[in-house]
Amino acid sequence: MRIRDLPYPDPGDPDVRSGFRLMLWLWRSQLGGQSKALAWGTLHMAAVASFPLAVGMAVQAATERSGDRLVLAGALTVVLGLAVTVGDTMLHRAAVTNWITAAARVQQLLARRTAGLGAALTRRVAAGEVVAVSTGDIEKIGWFVEAVSRFGAASLTTAGVCAALVVYEPLLGAVVTLGVLALVAAVLPLLPPATRRADTQRAKAGRATELAADTVAGLRVLRGVGGEELFLGRYRRASQEVRRAAVRTARMWSLIDAVQVVLPGVLLIAVVWLGARLALDGTVAVGELVTVYGAVTFLLFPLRLFQEIAMAYSFSRPSAERAARVLALSRGTRADATGARGGAQTPAGDLYDPVSGLLAPAGGLTAVVCGDPDAAGRLAERLGGHGTGSGTEEPSVLLGGVALDGVPLETARTAVLVQDKDPVLLSGTLGELLDVPSSGAVAPGRALDAAQCGDVLAALARAGGAPDGDPMRARITERGRSLSGGQRQRLALARSLIADPQVLVLDEPTSAVDSHTEARVADALRRLRAGRTTVVFSSSPLLLDRADRVVFFSGGEVAAVGTHRGLLANEPGYRAVVTREAGGDDEHDTGEGGPGAGAAGGRGPLRHEQMEESA
């Protein structure tokens, strides 16, 4: 794999049982590049390690006044210089390629997993963790995967040099070999504490980053309640904890650096002292002493790579653990086992959840009332073909008798669309926002009218960013922050209506709009989605009164099924949830006074968001 061949046609199926297994899988996935880096690294280091031999030959030739041997030493130096140049250049190319391709593979896998899970992702793992994995963590993982080949080359070269020294000069070679082993033995016990301190530092840094992100996201609320200083103080304390942890980590790595400077220095002094005595006794020649000295000096270079691989592993392991956790997430209990099949026919028919017992007949408007918003969100997620992420075996939601988590993702998304209770509007023009894959049956104008977006279009047309007063060319800021909550909700609803899926699941689609607008949206939604299956999670009587079928959930399962008026009259638990009463009221007005009467009887006071929208 070359960099210009990225992205991968198929990044593969990673081993996500642990962070170490993920890194091992990445290393195996690029064996060709790893072999090239190992070969070029061995050539480079072997050539560098051979320079002391050429220098020793030159010194010995000069002492013996041998011109032929001096020429031979010069030729050997030229050859070794070329080998060092070529090996170093190609090693750098191979190493960088391995680093980038490993990081790109992880990033591509993360992108596919994120796209596959959609809005369900943030219910299973924190958004900050996903951002951390897809930015800084992939570089750390790529660093370790790339460093393995260079570490292998350093290990082979070190072993070769020690063996050659034992053969070339047995006594000095044995001293050098024992010294290298002692150096490695001295450093190894220091690595686990350094790794633990680095892990602690990263955990505290992650906490500080999460706190900062939460503070920025809720800055408007914090200013409203005067809580900026409180959260600023919390971030200051978290930041100081990160600083202290970083200092502790740096001290340990500094100690390792000091050991790798002092012990090799002691070894070098010992070799020079012993070699000088042997040279004075005539046991070794001056050139041989120079060769051994140069070899010991060279060994300091590959020994530094031992520290690098230890640092790379200590930083990469937690990053790989986080990446493995994200990549291990799946749509459902069968974990996309059949999601790779293409060309599957889009299922159609009744939508049925065997876990909760919810049934949404095909072509009808089904309203779901659930007193627990979190439970409602989990159920909406399941209806979209995603598991709950609880890790327990659960049967899949069925559409027309076909398991949704057993069909390709594209097919499941075509069949069922879930609009979250907090939909996200991406930045860009309004036209780009509404340019979504669709059946083509619902034009943007019809969808905007059905979602009651007339005032939103007028406001966008008056804004300075709309060329020629065309609201479709007006720019929407990041996450729609320039719009009110109700405006964002209605634009998101219009986007979902344009997609025109067979099954549309809406989780509280009108919680931030006023009652009059909500009534018009409910009527338009029923007309526009006629013949299509629609499931609305809501406790608003204005929506419930227009539903063909109302399902009341209690304790995580279906408690009652009927019409809005029938459940108001006969189901105290339903009446308590819908009317916001502490208990059921048997005297509740359920007369046939039209939709307005039913709504007035069940709605109670306006919600805070609706009053804000009305204002």
Side-chain angles (χ1 to χ4, degrees), residues 25-45:
W25 176 83
L26 288 170
W27 183 83
R28 290 199 310 265
S29 299
Q30 52 183 44
L31 278 178
Q34 294 290 343
S35 300
K36 290 179 182 178
L38 179 62
W40 289 120
T42 303
L43 173 63
H44 166 63
M45 294 187 185

Side-chain angles (χ1 to χ4, degrees), residues 304-323:
R304 302 292 294 182
L305 291 177
F306 284 65
Q307 178 188 0
E308 181 186 351
I309 194 67
M311 291 184 65
Y313 179 73
S314 67
F315 281 95
S316 300
R317 183 181 54 78
S319 298
E321 293 287 352
R322 284 194 292 266

Side-chain angles (χ1 to χ4, degrees), residues 126-152:
E129 183 169 349
V130 178
V131 173
V133 171
S134 59
T135 52
D137 283 344
I138 60 172
E139 294 187 5
K140 296 183 179 70
I141 295 171
W143 175 28
F144 176 74
V145 173
E146 170 273 321
V148 170
S149 56
R150 291 189 293 112
F151 173 70

Side-chain angles (χ1 to χ4, degrees), residues 3-18:
I3 294 177
R4 60 173 170 265
D5 296 328
L6 296 173
Y8 292 93
D10 180 12
D13 186 17
D15 187 345
V16 295
R17 288 176 291 177
S18 67

Side-chain angles (χ1 to χ4, degrees), residues 104-426:
R105 189 187 295 272
V106 177
Q107 193 169 47
Q108 195 171 344
L109 289 168
L110 288 169
R112 289 194 175 188
R113 182 58 60 197
T114 302
L117 291 170
L121 176 65
T122 53
R123 292 196 183 104
R124 305 185 188 185
V125 64
E129 183 169 349
V130 178
V131 173
V133 171
S134 59
T135 52
D137 283 344
I138 60 172
E139 294 187 5
K140 296 183 179 70
I141 295 171
W143 175 28
F144 176 74
V145 173
E146 170 273 321
V148 170
S149 56
R150 291 189 293 112
F151 173 70
S155 301
L156 290 176
T157 307
T158 300
V161 168
C162 290
L165 285 177
V166 171
V167 173
Y168 183 73
E169 181 55 51
L171 181 57
L172 291 177
V175 171
V176 171
T177 302
L178 292 175
V180 170
L181 294 175
L183 175 60
V184 173
V187 172
L188 285 178
L190 300 178
L191 295 179
T195 302
R196 287 194 296 270
R197 293 190 181 189
D199 290 345
T200 301
Q201 176 192 345
R202 279 187 293 273
K204 292 182 179 296
R207 169 58 183 158
T209 302
E210 180 181 350
L211 184 60
D214 289 344
T215 302
V216 172
L219 192 57
R220 292 178 61 183
V221 177
L222 291 176
R223 286 176 176 172
V225 298
E228 303 105 310
E229 289 300 324
L230 174 63
F231 274 77
L232 182 60
R234 291 180 180 176
Y235 180 75
R236 283 198 185 105
R237 289 191 294 272
S239 176
Q240 289 302 311
E241 290 180 4
V242 174
R243 181 188 63 80
R244 286 190 289 268
V247 171
R248 283 173 50 82
T249 303
R251 285 174 178 168
M252 183 56 68
W253 288 114
S254 298
L255 177 60
I256 294 175
D257 282 337
V259 170
Q260 290 198 319
V261 171
V262 172
L263 294 186
V266 173
L267 174 61
L268 187 61
I269 293 173
V271 169
V272 171
W273 178 82
L274 179 59
R277 291 183 61 86
L278 294 175
L280 290 175
D281 295 341
T283 305
V284 298
V286 176
E288 293 174 342
L289 177 60
V290 172
T291 299
V292 174
Y293 172 80
V296 174
T297 304
F298 159 77
L299 287 175
L300 302 182
F301 170 61
L303 287 175
R304 302 292 294 182
L305 291 177
F306 284 65
Q307 178 188 0
E308 181 186 351
I309 194 67
M311 291 184 65
Y313 179 73
S314 67
F315 281 95
S316 300
R317 183 181 54 78
S319 298
E321 293 287 352
R322 284 194 292 266
R325 282 197 298 271
V326 176
L327 294 175
L329 301 175
S330 61
R331 290 171 54 202
T333 56
R334 279 179 273 184
D336 297 331
T338 57
R341 296 198 312 263
Q345 184 176 2
T346 303
D350 296 343
L351 183 69
Y352 176 65
D353 178 19
V355 174
S356 62
L358 172 64
L359 174 66
L365 173 59
T366 300
V368 181
V369 177
C370 183
D372 183 0
D374 292 334
R378 290 192 295 270
L379 179 56
E381 181 182 337
R382 274 189 52 78
L383 294 180
H386 302 285
T388 60
S390 61
T392 59
E393 285 292 332
E394 294 179 346
S396 170
V397 170
L398 305 177
L399 179 60
V402 178
L404 276 182
D405 69 356
V407 299
L409 178 62
E410 294 77 9
T411 304
R413 290 281 174 82
T414 302
V416 182
L417 173 64
V418 179
Q419 178 177 304
D420 193 69
K421 69 176 63 178
D422 296 314
V424 175
L425 304 183
L426 302 180

